């Protein structure tokens, strides 16, 4: 029989990429991780790691072991879920990661519902963009992630993760002033071809979507401001420094404070959803959190009419 602890270290290495990252995540010394993996190689009787420069990569045999380790860990999570479901009171710790606007508009209300219904459940929340949160979910750093998907930019859907839709969040073109009168969404975009923009950093799905939207309108955006903080996006638009693409969740049901224009019909909403590991989806804490988030959506104030055309 192979040692499960060492198998988990091998799995961690696959997800985290380096021995140093595994050691940091698990509070081990890198030498200890290396020693444990060497012992696993001796148990299995084949080479599991190959040097690539200063790093290592998993061999084909190691990938086979990791796949079976994932299956074992999923069964263990299912067992944990069934044990939790057999208890009369929900306890323990639930770890949530959420991107910013959902963390502001939905998570606080959901936390209130969870506190009222399950006072002994301890909830940890981290604000993290999906590009980082989803790999961290696979690495078991979180139990549930609130993520987003922009039009025409579907996320990868690993077989070991399960998604559940939460809401469709309308997207708008936000102008730094009333802007010129235009006829149609593409004309509104083109009117800002020479204007500064604020967008999320390069490498994010939101940035890829936004740049492509501008390119489809016939221009390359002059991106002078980069941040994942959409409240800063809003502030820059309010102060006349930039144009931006902003979702409804930024206002949390309050009246928009800037002029908004419609986007092309197939680009008007982003999908907001929750993601969990497959073996974790039936855990009572995860189910309670998903219920609370769905209710938080229904409790949101209706979006007040803004200066939109």
């Amino acid at each position: 029989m192979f040692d499960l602890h060492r198998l988990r270290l091998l799995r961690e290495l696959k997800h985290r990429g380096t021995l140093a990252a595994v050691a940091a995540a698990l509070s081990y010394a890198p030498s200890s991780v290396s020693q444990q993996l060497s012992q696993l190689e001796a148990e299995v009787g084949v080479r599991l790691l190959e040097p690539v420069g200063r790093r290592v990569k998993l061999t084909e045999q190691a990938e086979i072991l990791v796949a079976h380790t994932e299956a074992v860990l999923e069964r263990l999570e299912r067992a944990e879920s069934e044990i939790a479901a057999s208890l009369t009171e929900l306890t323990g710790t639930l770890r949530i990661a959420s991107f910013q606007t959902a963390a502001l508009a939905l998570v606080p209300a959901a936390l209130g519902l969870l506190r009222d219904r399950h006072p002994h459940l301890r909830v940890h929340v981290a604000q993290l963009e999906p590009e980082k949160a989803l790999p961290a979910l696979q690495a078991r750093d979180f139990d549930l992630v609130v993520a987003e998907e922009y039009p025409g930019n579907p996320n990868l859907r690993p077989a070991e993760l399960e998604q559940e839709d939460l809401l469709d969040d309308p997207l708008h073109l936000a102008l730094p002033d009333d802007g010129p009168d235009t006829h149609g969404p593409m004309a509104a975009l083109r009117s800002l071809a020479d204007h500064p923009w604020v967008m999320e950093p390069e490498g994010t799905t939101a940035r890829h979507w936004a740049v492509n939207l501008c390119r489809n309108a016939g221009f390359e955006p002059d991106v002078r401001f980069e941040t994942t903080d959409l409240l800063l996006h809003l502030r820059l638009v309010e102060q006349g420094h930039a144009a931006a693409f902003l979702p409804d969740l930024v206002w949390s049901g309050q009246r928009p404070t800037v002029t908004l224009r419609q986007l092309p019909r197939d680009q008007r909403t982003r999908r907001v959803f929750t993601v969990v590991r497959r073996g974790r989806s039936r855990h009572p804490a995860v189910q309670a959190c998903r219920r609370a988030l769905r209710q938080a959506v229904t409790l949101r104030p209706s979006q007040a009419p803004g200066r939109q055309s």
Side-chain angles (χ1 to χ4, degrees), residues 34 43 56 88 99 137 177 184 231 245 279-280 286-287 295:
S34 180
E43 288 178 0
V56 293
T88 57
F99 63 95
L137 176 68
D177 51 42
L231 294 181
F245 298 110
R280 200 74 170 173
V286 168
Q287 293 179 331
Q295 189 170 351

Side-chain angles (χ1 to χ4, degrees), residues 77 80-81 91-97 121-125 133-134 136-146 160-162 274-283 285-287 289-290:
E77 284 203 305
E80 183 183 346
S81 298
T91 60
T93 300
L94 179 70
R95 301 161 300 168
I96 302 170
L121 177 65
R122 183 182 178 90
V123 182
H124 289 186
V125 178
L134 292 174
L137 176 68
Q138 289 180 280
R140 285 176 163 76
D141 291 339
F142 298 102
D143 301 302
L144 180 144
V145 168
V146 183
E160 64 269 22
L161 299 183
E162 293 183 353
T274 58
V275 193
V276 300
R277 291 184 301 279
R278 190 169 52 198
R280 200 74 170 173
S281 61
R282 295 184 182 179
H283 194 287
V286 168
Q287 293 179 331
C289 183
R290 280 180 153 171

Side-chain angles (χ1 to χ4, degrees), residues 78-109:
R78 288 182 180 179
E80 183 183 346
S81 298
E82 291 180 14
I83 290 171
S86 71
L87 302 175
T88 57
E89 189 173 19
L90 190 53
T91 60
T93 300
L94 179 70
R95 301 161 300 168
I96 302 170
S98 173
F99 63 95
Q100 184 197 37
T101 47
L104 288 169
L106 302 176
V107 171

Side-chain angles (χ1 to χ4, degrees), residues 192-199 214 219-225 242-243:
L192 296 166
D194 297 322
H195 201 282
W197 286 81
V198 55
M199 293 185 180
C214 293
F219 69 94
E220 190 70 22
D222 177 12
V223 182
R224 298 191 193 178
F225 311 99

Side-chain angles (χ1 to χ4, degrees), residues 36 47 57 86 98 126 152 171 269 284:
Q36 291 290 316
R47 194 170 186 178
K57 74 171 186 178
S86 71
S98 173
L171 297 162
T269 59

